[in-house]
Structure formats: C-alpha cells, structure tokens
Amino acid sequence: MSGRTLHDLLGGEIVWDNHACMPLEPDCTQMQLLESCRLAGVDVVSLNVASGDQRSRQALRMIAAFREWLAARPGEYQLIACATDATEARSSGRLGVCFDIEGMTVLDGDVEMLGLYYSLGVRWMLSAYNRANSAGSGCLDAIDTGLTPFGRAVVAAMNRVGMVVCGSHAGERTARELIDASSEPIIFSHSNPRSVWNSPRNISDELMLACARRGGVIGLNGIGAFLGANDNCTGTFVRHVEYALDLVGEDHVGIALDYCFAQETEISELVQAYPELFPHQHGFERDGLKMIAPWQLIEIAESLSARGHQRTTLAKLFGGNHLRIAQTVWR
C-alpha cells in the first residue's frame, strides 16, 4: 500500500457504492457499521430496504427505521434525494445514503406505490429477485417468460417519477425487455460478467452491451459466489472490472459491492434457510459466503492504477458513472 487514500487515486472525485445490505430488522443494531464505508473513503451508498417476496408493510417499516436512524446523526450521514445532495455529502465529509428495492412484489400490485417509495428515498428497483413474480422472471427460473404487462406499467411509472430501472437478478429475456421498455438508461446494479464466471446471477455480454448502448451502467458485485469459487480476492474482482471495461467501456462500469453488514453466522443461516434463492450448486457455500469488503476498495484502485488505468477511468468506475445516472434519471 502506498499510503494514498482512495480519493487521492481518484483525484478527489466521488466514491459511490451502489448496493449494500443491512439486516432488515427495525432495531437498526448493525447500522453503526456504515461508518466503515465512510472510513474506507465511500461518499455515497445505496442500502437495500426490501427484497424477494417482502411486501409494502415490511419495506415501509424498514425505510422508517433507517430514515430515523440517519436523521439522528446529521453530522455523519445525509439522506440524499438528488444528485446535488450526493456531491454535497462528499464535500461535507458525510456519508450520503439512498435506498433500493430488490423486486417489484413490494408494490403489492399497485403501480401508484412508486411515488411514495421515491419520496422516501428509494432511487432504484429491480424487477424480480431470482424467481418470477408479477413483473417478470428471475435468473434462477427454468423458463423466462419475460416482462409482464404489470412489469411494463411499473417501468413506465419509474421513468415518470425518476426511479432507476435495474435488471440485476432478472432472467435474460426479462432483463432485455427491461432495457427495451425503459425510456431512460437502466442499470444492472450489482451484476458481474458471465463470461468471466459462469453463474446464473451474472449477465451475458449481450445484456452488458445492450445496457451500455442505452447509456446504462453495470455495477460490479463483490459476492464471492459471483466472482469465482467463493472467491473475494482483490485480483479476482479486478479481473471482472477489466473484462467489463474492455467490453463496454469506461462510461458504463461502476461499483456495487453488495456487502452484507451482518454477522457471518447470520449470513450462513440466511443461505441455509432459503436454498431456493441461494442454491448450493450455484456457489453459495454452507460454511460461509465470502465478500469483497468496502475497505478493499483502496486495494482495487491501487491494483487498477498499477495496471495502467488512468485516474479519469478510475473516477468514472468508482463513482462518476453512478453520479451521471443520478443526474440523468433522478427527478
């Protein structure tokens, strides 16, 4: 390590991790671990507030708890509503926080719920979490029937309110139809290239290129099962980064570690409790799940710099591209 900070390597530009997970418990006992993001040099993080089959009651309860926790610490954290808020958080030394939702089940079949979620800080939402729902198919479904009429209506509403459409966890056909249905750039918030590691949760070159052609961003995921054989080595993550940069270019790749701020035993219990969502044959180890941690970001940046990637490229990768999406899509 050279002693330089992450911001030194990026020329002072914003650092944005577009997906992280806290235990979805309203007591917020793990929220203080967000400080590790700030200490690692992260300026903005998107926190998951609901996933899978969870409904609005659970999501709204989590949003209320997270908002209250953040509001009680205004000197350290800032709930961001617009792109300007993100840059203000960076300049003030606070950690900017927005929210995301993994799956459209949380709408309870009501498109009008989108406006409420957006007003409360949700800035992106994916269609389905691994398995099919009323919006479309998931990446672990044997048959992908594509985006449903309800899913298309939700995408149109997301475009209207300024919420970013996400294709992570969706099936191939459903994801492609999300790209085609959206009038705004979409993201794969936390997905890796399938050509580097053949996991059903990773995405094809064709999807990456289609996303990039529409101005979108692929946020690279730090879960060991999607990087390799439960592999959270910095070098392995860098290999995914360089493949993505070569394929779609520096304007379309970002960081979204999907780091889970929970005890290792809690993660293992979750993996074992929901084998349909975390199948062992797809890399989810019963003895633990390795992840790239926020404090590895400096190692990743130094490695990429040593391999000849310019500061301007690093600045886009580590936050600039996510900021551009916010400036383009958020209202």
Side-chain angles (χ1 to χ4, degrees):
M1 301 290 287
S2 66
R4 290 182 295 178
T5 68
L6 192 51
H7 289 112
D8 291 336
L9 289 164
L10 307 183
E13 298 298 325
I14 197 166
V15 178
W16 190 314
D17 181 354
N18 207 35
H19 190 50
C21 298
M22 285 285 169
L24 296 180
E25 299 293 340
D27 58 13
C28 296
T29 53
Q30 306 279 11
M31 281 287 280
Q32 70 275 8
L33 296 177
L34 275 181
E35 179 65 8
S36 64
C37 289
R38 198 159 66 102
L39 293 176
V42 176
D43 301 306
V44 176
V45 66
S46 181
L47 282 183
N48 176 43
V49 295
S51 64
D53 292 332
Q54 292 181 321
R55 311 299 291 240
S56 61
R57 178 186 177 94
Q58 295 159 298
L60 293 172
R61 190 179 182 199
M62 284 315 310
I63 293 172
F66 283 172
R67 285 176 62 96
E68 182 178 3
W69 191 93
L70 294 167
R73 296 159 178 82
E76 301 162 87
Y77 304 98
Q78 179 178 354
L79 183 62
I80 61 174
C82 61
T84 301
D85 288 345
T87 57
E88 287 179 355
R90 161 77 187 102
S91 62
S92 67
R94 292 176 291 172
L95 180 64
V97 178
C98 59
F99 303 135
D100 60 72
I101 292 176
E102 295 187 283
M104 293 178 180
T105 300
V106 77
L107 297 173
D108 295 340
D110 185 357
V111 175
E112 300 305 317
M113 288 290 292
L114 272 173
L116 174 60
Y117 284 125
Y118 190 84
S119 71
L120 293 173
V122 176
R123 288 299 176 266
W124 62 257
M125 179 170 60
L126 56 85
S127 57
Y129 186 79
N130 291 346
R131 299 294 185 182
N133 62 14
S134 60
S137 297
C139 62
L140 298 185
D141 289 322
I143 299 174
D144 183 353
T145 57
L147 197 61
T148 68
F150 175 70
R152 293 179 185 279
V154 175
V155 169
M158 292 174 76
N159 291 161
R160 288 196 300 271
V161 304
M163 191 182 294
V164 181
V165 177
C166 173
S168 288
H169 288 273
E172 179 88 7
R173 175 182 168 184
T174 297
R176 182 55 209 245
E177 292 180 0
L178 284 169
I179 296 170
D180 294 340
S182 178
S183 61
E184 298 283 1
I186 87 153
I187 61 173
F188 286 87
S189 58
H190 54 300
S191 294
N192 293 341
R194 191 177 298 166
S195 291
V196 180
W197 184 255
N198 188 19
S199 165
R201 253 290 282 121
N202 291 344
I203 58 175
S204 67
D205 288 359
E206 290 74 20
L207 282 179
M208 294 174 69
L209 288 166
C211 177
R213 282 193 292 267
R214 296 292 302 276
V217 173
I218 298 100
L220 298 180
N221 184 299
I223 298 296
F226 308 144
L227 292 170
N230 204 19
D231 182 356
N232 65 341
C233 296
T234 293
T236 304
F237 190 83
V238 167
R239 186 163 76 249
H240 283 263
V241 170
E242 291 192 316
Y243 184 88
L245 289 173
D246 288 342
L247 181 68
V248 299
E250 63 181 22
D251 292 325
H252 305 289
V253 186
I255 301 291
L257 295 182
D258 199 10
Y259 188 77
C260 185
F261 290 94
Q263 300 295 324
E264 186 173 338
T265 53
E266 293 176 305
I267 298 172
S268 296
E269 288 170 2
L270 182 66
V271 169
Q272 293 183 48
Y274 298 98
E276 71 281 7
L277 296 179
F278 307 104
H280 182 60
Q281 68 269 31
H282 293 151
F284 290 96
E285 304 296 335
R286 298 192 185 282
D287 59 350
L289 184 63
K290 295 181 180 179
M291 301 175 283
I292 297 285
W295 44 93
Q296 286 178 255
L297 289 174
I298 182 64
E299 297 176 10
I300 293 165
E302 291 212 323
S303 177
L304 288 166
S305 179
R307 293 170 69 87
H309 295 278
Q310 300 300 307
R311 177 179 286 179
T312 51
T313 299
L314 297 183
K316 292 178 181 180
L317 170 68
F318 280 84
N321 290 333
H322 291 319
L323 179 62
R324 172 178 60 80
I325 291 293
Q327 292 168 332
T328 303
V329 182
W330 295 10
R331 301 288 184 257

